[in-house]
Amino acid sequence: MKQIVLLSVVLLTTLSLKSQNNLESGRIVFNNTKIDLDGQLNEAVWNNLIPENNFLNYIPNNGEVAPNQTEVKMFHNGKNLYISAVYSDTSPKVQIGSLKRDDIGVSGAESDSFAIILDPYNQQQSGYFFIVNMGGALIDALLYRNGDGFRVNTSWNTIWKARTSTQGNQKIYEVEIPLKTLGYKAEASEWGVMFHSRNIKLNEWTTSTPIDRNYTQFDLRFTKMFEVENLKENSVSRFAVTPSITMNYSKDVTNHTDDTMFKPSVDAQFNVSSSLKLDATINPDFSQIDVDQQVTNLSRFSVFFPERRNFFLENSDLFTNLGVSNVDPFYSRRIGVNSEISFGLKLSGNVAKKTRLGVLNVATKQEGDIPAQNYGALVVQQKLSKSFTATGFLINRQETDGLSFKDDYNRITGINMNYQSKNNRWAGITNFATTATDGVSGDNKFYNAGVWYNKINVSGYAGLRKVGRNYITDVGFVPRLYNFDAATEIMVREGYTQASGRISLTKFYKNSKSIDHHRYLNLSNNTYWDEEGNVTQSTTVINNDLIFKNQSFLYGGVRFEHVNLKYTFDPLGNGNFIVADTYKYFDAGIGYVSAENKTFQYSGNVSYGSYYSGTKKRISLNTQYQLMPLARLQLRYERNGIDLNELGSETFHLARFTGEVFFSNRLNWTTYIQYNTQFDNFNINSRLQWEYKPLSYIYLVISDNYNQNLTRKNWGMAFKLNYRFDF
């Protein structure tokens, strides 16, 4: 495997191609003036700025000059960055999908909105994403590199302001972003910047820079470079403290017990510099966090759920982007899952223009038989050139006894190399990591090499990885390493090798009135070998997608499975095990998703095929009705019917209702009702949330749990109040 990693580095080094992004640089001027943020653009300063315009279509008719143009202007006064945008619509009508903060899919993508992307280091590694819709709903998110592209994390929050207005057909946005919320170096005054305008009525996306449809519109590689005048280290309001109190009552109906808890906590953030932030949390409480969406899991392995706790999110890509999909050495949701966090410290950001640092330390309390633990992480990321970035890391989990460390530990060290060609068509990654666990030795390494190719009509991926049986990551997520034998109820740890490949062929129809594009082939394969070199599973999927001009789409595909099952499996949960043997089966499915700009939206899919020694039928339906600006209602239903012949049959139902009522863009009431027969759970979670001051909240949360026969198991109520002080 070492040869694979070395060969990949050599291969990637040879891929040096000319850049497509030759945009002329812009300028963010300095003007020592204040703005009355009202969405009116009445101040004289707006009249003296050079606008950014000439927006291009992203959807539809990618690359053409947008018929509905946006004019953007920017300046800063040393304290705040000010941005104005005027979008020339075809009608005075405004359409919004939600007033909820951070609902990027609805408040952002399903609304008339304006988006800002900032890369203050212009290194195309991480950045900031700000969106405001015409209803005043705010979305703030972090962008981070992942594989061959970029991902968004909307759980991160910061203080910024925006106001909107209409003048005839013009949609006006006025935005104020405090510079202290952004990580930057004063001597690195070249920022990457990009803007988007969204007209949901026309299903139109327009962008300030050219972006081919095979890339996401928030890809930092397509930002335009802006020179920021008179940029200085930010010395104003470096310190923010957010104390909170939580009162929680819970009752276990099954065991006839109840508990009342009063819990104070404090979160703090100190800007060591404008590019380096120190976060601290003491006795944190996360009762206000949205509940996870329940899923039906018919695989043999665990399901990944994203991190939602704000302490772990600032510069989170430094810690969470250390591995590859399903082989992640750091998964912060492991911290505090079995016992409460007593305190946490995190230092993260840029220590130099091309060097990022992440240091994290979190301690958990002893609870019963669960000992106290200390979790630490050190990450250093270095931009070696325009194409290469290297990352080294150390992760440690160690049992503690008071202030002393015990010999129960798990450590991971590793190094990654990322490559991106200058024309953005080729991307690559190589990973090497090793673990150290007390009482365990040998076969403790992880190797990976992968390469992507991405062109508007053709894209593909090829990768190879190897995970040793003793590559133990107590703070990581490597689900396939652990195999549960249902008959013996023993978890067996076993290493594996995985080879992956994908090719996708797409045709775009600019002159068609009905069809936007057709992905007529999407072929992928994942094959796994055990430690003896025997194939344990091979999955081949063939998909076909047809996307219409209104962005509704029809899709279908076939999946072929070859499974050499080594450990018994009980997917029905009835005690009848699928025995270890070789199984070959397939299923086929078809689905449809309606256009996003309608008041009533719907989607659904059906599939049918074999499943191990039997058959599986699946149907999924999703509906959404918008009563904006008052409410939004969603209903999802999924049914999985499995018949394993003599082993029995079972039908798993999963239903989820979401009701959102908006009193304003700062006060909303959200109720989730989830019914999952696979896990014998019927859950009601209702949350009233009031942002009475920027990032200062009052939460009232009620949670009620029943079994599938609607017999109550437990219920609880939590009240949380926090207040943010900026110094």
Side-chain angles (χ1 to χ4, degrees), residues 313-532:
L313 295 177
E314 184 79 40
N315 289 306
S316 60
D317 65 292
L318 276 170
F319 303 96
T320 60
N321 205 20
L322 301 176
V324 293
S325 176
N326 288 324
V327 189
D328 298 306
F330 186 82
Y331 180 40
S332 58
R333 281 188 67 132
R334 300 280 191 216
I335 302 175
V337 67
N338 295 318
S339 57
E340 290 187 355
I341 294 173
S342 56
F343 72 88
L345 291 171
K346 183 177 66 172
L347 180 69
S348 60
N350 279 63
V351 293
K353 180 180 179 180
K354 297 183 178 181
T355 306
R356 299 178 71 201
L357 172 70
V359 182
L360 180 144
N361 191 82
V362 179
T364 59
K365 303 174 183 178
Q366 179 176 351
E367 293 190 10
D369 296 332
I370 302 172
Q373 302 284 343
N374 186 268
Y375 300 88
L378 170 65
V379 182
V380 179
Q381 184 183 91
Q382 180 67 39
K383 185 81 170 177
L384 302 176
S385 68
K386 290 185 177 180
S387 296
F388 285 96
T389 303
T391 305
F393 61 90
L394 167 64
I395 299 166
N396 182 67
R397 191 274 314 155
Q398 192 152 4
E399 183 180 335
T400 58
D401 183 8
L403 298 177
S404 62
F405 290 94
K406 303 187 74 173
D407 288 336
D408 179 6
Y409 63 86
N410 172 248
R411 300 181 183 116
I412 310 106
T413 56
I415 187 168
N416 307 330
M417 183 75 72
N418 289 82
Y419 171 81
Q420 183 67 50
S421 71
K422 293 180 181 179
N423 70 349
N424 299 321
R425 291 184 182 176
W426 292 94
I429 185 172
T430 57
N431 307 76
F432 171 75
T434 182
T435 64
T437 306
D438 62 299
V440 180
S441 62
D443 203 12
N444 59 344
K445 294 178 174 56
F446 162 60
Y447 306 90
N448 175 75
V451 61
W452 291 264
Y453 178 75
N454 195 355
K455 197 177 178 181
I456 190 164
N457 299 117
V458 182
S459 65
Y461 168 77
L464 185 64
R465 68 183 64 164
K466 180 178 174 59
V467 180
R469 72 160 58 212
N470 291 328
Y471 182 69
I472 301 170
T473 59
D474 289 351
V475 203
F477 185 76
V478 192
R480 187 169 280 271
L481 191 62
Y482 299 91
N483 300 269
F484 182 71
D485 192 313
T488 62
E489 296 187 349
I490 295 175
M491 188 71 75
V492 180
R493 196 171 64 243
E494 185 174 274
Y496 64 91
T497 301
Q498 176 187 354
S500 303
R502 176 184 59 82
I503 184 170
S504 181
L505 305 176
T506 305
K507 181 175 176 60
F508 288 84
Y509 299 87
K510 285 190 175 181
N511 298 322
S512 173
K513 294 182 179 180
S514 58
I515 299 175
D516 183 77
H517 67 277
H518 180 205
R519 187 169 63 167
Y520 55 93
L521 177 66
N522 186 42
L523 173 64
S524 65
N525 176 267
N526 280 287
T527 300
Y528 301 86
W529 291 266
D530 63 16
E531 296 170 332
E532 287 74 40

